[in-house]
Amino acid sequence: MAGMILFSMSRRTRAGTTTLLNKAGSRGGQPDEARTEHLEFPDNRLLIDLCGGFDSHLSRIEATLGIHVMRRGNSLVLHGPREEVGIAAETLGRLYERLEEGRPVGENEVEAALRLATGPGAMRFHEVDFDRTAAGGGAGAGNGPVELRTRRKVIEPRTPAQKDYITKLLTHELVFGLGPAGTGKTYLAVAAAVALFNEGRVDRIILSRPAVEAGERLGFLPGDMKEKVDPYMQPLYDALHDFIPARQLGRLMEEKRIEIAPLAFMRGRTLADAFVVLDEAQNATAMQMKMFLTRLGRGARMAITGDPSQIDLPRGVASGLVAAERILKGVEGVAFSRFSGEDVVRHPLVARIIDAWERDAAARRSAAARHAEAVPAAAQDASTGSSETGEAGDG
């Protein structure tokens, strides 16, 4: 079966795009049935950018989806399993739309498009509800992609989990982002804070972290309190510099419209009309977490991020993040977004490291469970044997 799709250079309406992608991603027929699709692109210059240097973008799509992509003049021919060809057509169509809009398409964008189309919980483009909130276009700014607009860059989700997380950050007053390092939890939370601040939907940004981690203590560091604390806060400074020009950031911090402070400094405050981010929340105690959550004032939003598998608190001290996840599940206005190793957007090796660590942890838990089951059984057998020996002696 062969099909022909012509991608118009003029910017299409969302309805037209949806119809086009429905045609490309039709799921009728047998899943393994071979399919050939012809895609024509009227602007050859945009097609060059779409394919990438030495057709590297096409090679990435081929390797991920297990299909063949051939370039012929101003057209691409896709051949392979029906479902995968449909996904490839959708992905190429969406990437070409980005180019039509004057937005770049590089390796990161191709990788993000493939993750969104093939990752766990992925939705095909024609299944997406485009009537949603997107910071930068105002509340309810439908017809646009899920994105966060700041002065320096536009941030788009690169995995289905990131898309879910951004949507919740823009629609809920309290959001927990849980998962391993490298998944963008803190980065996206700070981006959402900056985007809403630029729109005037919050008046302040407050970023916080527990100041003591991994067994280290502030008293052993040189300098005054600010000099002791700043190294722990550096990841938050780095994120802000990505979104706000340095001179403007300096002025906003002088005016206290943007604050970066240790968690301990939050006690006694009421944080109204602010976007508040608590990072590394797994290292907050249960009492600190309760204290922080009750700082929420009118017109404020909170994002709390952390990795429950990397708790650095002393042995026997319960993590406030774990407690909050248990206690606040199902509470109205509170949302949880969970990330896994598949959502890591740093170096691909990071994802493999996290997966290996998770497999080892699972194996250890399984071994511990088997040991826990074996000990009572062994004790019972020993008790039964002792009883039988005693009865024989009495005889």
Side-chain angles (χ1 to χ4, degrees):
M1 172 183 176
M4 177 75 75
I5 298 177
L6 175 64
F7 288 90
S8 170
M9 185 176 176
S10 60
R11 187 170 182 175
R12 294 180 292 273
T13 64
R14 178 61 57 187
T17 301
T18 303
T19 301
L20 171 68
L21 296 180
N22 267 321
K23 179 180 177 183
S26 174
R27 304 178 75 172
Q30 297 300 317
D32 295 328
E33 180 184 347
R35 172 182 180 182
T36 300
E37 197 76 68
H38 296 262
L39 312 179
E40 289 191 2
F41 303 87
D43 192 324
N44 202 49
R45 291 172 301 174
L46 296 184
L47 178 58
I48 292 173
D49 293 335
L50 178 66
C51 296
F54 301 102
D55 291 342
S56 59
H57 298 167
L58 301 184
S59 297
R60 180 61 179 153
I61 291 172
E62 286 181 320
T64 300
L65 299 177
I67 66 171
H68 296 291
V69 182
M70 294 165 285
R71 183 175 172 185
R72 296 176 178 172
N74 69 330
S75 67
L76 298 176
V77 180
L78 316 180
H79 180 77
R82 167 177 290 274
E83 178 70 11
E84 283 69 22
V85 167
I87 294 172
E90 293 175 357
T91 302
L92 288 164
R94 182 52 58 101
L95 292 172
Y96 189 76
E97 278 189 335
R98 286 181 58 88
L99 293 169
E100 286 185 318
E101 295 166 359
R103 304 164 78 180
V105 169
E107 292 182 5
N108 289 339
E109 286 72 29
V110 174
E111 180 70 23
L114 287 170
R115 285 191 183 216
L116 288 169
T118 62
M123 293 190 295
R124 301 293 175 254
F125 290 123
H126 61 274
E127 295 173 340
V128 175
D129 176 11
F130 292 103
D131 184 18
R132 56 197 169 200
T133 300
N143 298 340
V146 175
E147 61 184 22
L148 298 168
R149 292 184 175 274
T150 68
R151 294 286 178 87
R152 302 191 73 167
K153 60 172 65 177
V154 176
I155 298 88
E156 298 173 285
R158 295 174 60 182
T159 70
Q162 285 192 353
K163 181 171 66 175
D164 173 72
Y165 184 47
I166 291 176
T167 302
K168 287 176 178 176
L169 286 171
L170 298 174
T171 56
H172 288 75
E173 294 174 322
L174 176 57
V175 179
F176 287 82
L178 311 176
T183 52
K185 305 182 301 296
T186 304
Y187 192 78
L188 293 175
V190 175
V194 174
L196 295 179
F197 178 81
N198 288 341
E199 288 187 356
R201 294 166 65 180
V202 294
D203 296 334
R204 291 182 296 162
I205 296 173
I206 300 173
L207 309 179
S208 185
R209 264 186 162 200
V212 179
E213 303 179 44
E216 300 173 17
R217 296 295 181 267
L218 295 178
F220 295 105
L221 296 175
D224 59 20
M225 179 56 72
K226 184 178 186 305
E227 291 171 328
K228 290 175 184 289
V229 166
D230 273 355
Y232 291 94
M233 305 293 117
Q234 192 59 47
L236 301 178
Y237 284 108
D238 292 343
L240 284 173
H241 278 289
D242 262 9
F243 308 130
I244 303 175
R247 183 174 299 178
Q248 182 188 11
L249 178 59
R251 177 172 54 81
L252 291 172
M253 295 188 73
E254 285 181 7
E255 297 171 354
K256 298 293 185 182
R257 298 179 68 189
I258 294 181
E259 298 181 49
I260 300 179
L263 175 59
F265 290 10
M266 294 295 105
R267 188 175 296 276
R269 302 183 63 180
T270 298
L271 308 175
D273 298 312
F275 196 114
V276 190
V277 179
L278 175 61
D279 187 30
E280 296 291 337
Q282 76 275 6
N283 292 323
T285 67
M287 289 302 296
Q288 285 176 324
M289 179 62 72
K290 181 181 177 183
M291 177 274 293
F292 184 79
L293 292 174
T294 54
R295 301 306 95 198
L296 187 67
R298 290 186 179 277
R301 294 171 181 264
M302 276 189 178
I304 297 175
T305 69
D307 181 0
S309 71
Q310 292 190 2
I311 297 172
D312 300 319
L313 293 170
R315 185 179 297 275
V317 179
S319 167
L321 182 63
V322 175
E325 183 181 9
R326 182 185 71 251
I327 295 168
L328 299 180
K329 186 181 298 182
V331 173
E332 184 179 356
V334 180
F336 290 86
S337 285
R338 292 174 174 81
F339 298 83
S340 69
E342 295 177 339
D343 299 304
V344 172
V345 292
R346 290 180 182 166
H347 193 286
L349 182 57
V350 175
R352 296 196 291 273
I353 290 171
I354 291 173
D355 287 341
W357 227 273
E358 290 177 349
R359 288 195 302 270
D360 178 74
R364 289 174 178 271
R365 287 194 298 269
S366 179
R370 288 196 301 270
H371 177 72
E373 293 174 357
V375 169
Q380 184 176 1
D381 290 344
S383 175
T384 302
S386 175
S387 176
E388 291 174 352
T389 303
E391 291 174 0
D394 290 342

